[in-house]
Amino acid sequence: AMANVEDIPFIVEDRRMLSRVAGDRIKITHTIEPGQRETGCVTCCHAPDNCPILASFLCCYDYPEYIVNEMNASRYIIVRENGIEWNNPSMQPAKGRCCGQSCTELSVMDNVTVLYFDDIHFDYVRNDTRCCNMWWTFCCGGRGEQVQIESTFCFSCCIRGRDNRVCIPVCCPDVCCPCMVKSELWVDDAPTAVKIIRDARDDAKRRLGLDD
């Protein structure tokens, strides 16, 4: 009898990490609880639904509750059989009549990233949560705990960039060097997330014969 498509592995010989155990689907091995956006102690209420601009000028106001809930609902982190996928959404004006945009309503703008385990910058996965995170979150707000995916060299003093003519010190802020190559994940439990991602990467490389 002819085998079903889903029973036949999908193999990409020229880049084996893109292969799949089942031909018609990508297997999800783990889900990681994303970090949730939290406001600081100064923020006491949400801006009215029809006036979100208040949150940009008055520190005691958060964005309208509907957009905060939509943003939290849109965040996800899944570990796939050959990589990791996450959504780090942001806000944008909704459709409207002012040059095509609304002046009083916001909507979610998805920002989905897929990083395969054989990416040359997928060398180090570490917990990069700021010191005293709970205290800082209480005072100034936060997004959870931070996981960093990066590739360093020169005794971990420099981080790789998108251009081979650039040498970037690890202490350089992202805003000062946009060519820096690293990925940041905001999670609920960074130590657990780091272990899950590392184990999944190593298992995938071992399974596909891509061990260093």
Side-chain angles (χ1 to χ4, degrees), residues 155-175:
F155 304 103
S156 298
C157 293
C158 297
I159 190 168
R160 303 187 195 281
R162 294 184 177 87
D163 194 315
N164 60 7
R165 295 164 294 181
V166 178
C167 183
I168 309 166
V170 292
C171 59
C172 182
D174 298 2
V175 294

Side-chain angles (χ1 to χ4, degrees), residues 29-161:
T29 61
H30 296 87
T31 59
I32 296 174
E33 186 68 25
Q36 297 297 312
R37 176 182 172 274
E38 297 183 43
T39 58
C41 59
V42 176
T43 305
C44 58
C45 59
H46 291 279
D49 289 355
N50 60 354
C51 194
I53 196 171
L54 285 178
S56 301
F57 296 102
L58 299 176
C59 60
C60 59
Y61 278 103
D62 192 11
Y63 285 96
E65 188 173 11
Y66 76 89
I67 191 65
V68 172
N69 291 339
E70 286 184 25
M71 292 271 290
N72 287 333
S74 299
R75 292 186 176 90
Y76 69 85
I77 305 171
I78 56 175
V79 181
R80 315 188 320 182
E81 59 184 305
N82 53 10
I84 182 171
E85 176 184 328
W86 69 93
N87 187 21
N88 185 27
S90 58
M91 294 179 236
Q92 64 181 345
K95 291 181 179 179
R97 297 181 179 179
C98 182
C99 300
Q101 297 181 337
S102 172
C103 297
T104 60
E105 187 178 353
L106 297 171
S107 64
V108 173
M109 180 169 63
D110 293 310
N111 181 24
V112 177
T113 302
V114 177
L115 191 64
Y116 289 98
F117 290 137
D118 66 343
D119 191 284
I120 61 173
H121 299 104
F122 210 129
D123 286 344
Y124 302 108
V125 184
R126 61 184 179 88
N127 180 357
D128 197 33
T129 305
R130 59 188 175 183
C131 183
C132 303
N133 183 56
M134 291 182 64
W135 185 86
W136 281 109
T137 300
F138 173 77
C139 294
C140 308
R143 291 185 283 175
E145 298 182 357
Q146 186 178 11
V147 172
Q148 191 97 316
I149 301 174
E150 62 191 6
S151 178
T152 60
F153 62 100
C154 192
F155 304 103
S156 298
C157 293
C158 297
I159 190 168
R160 303 187 195 281

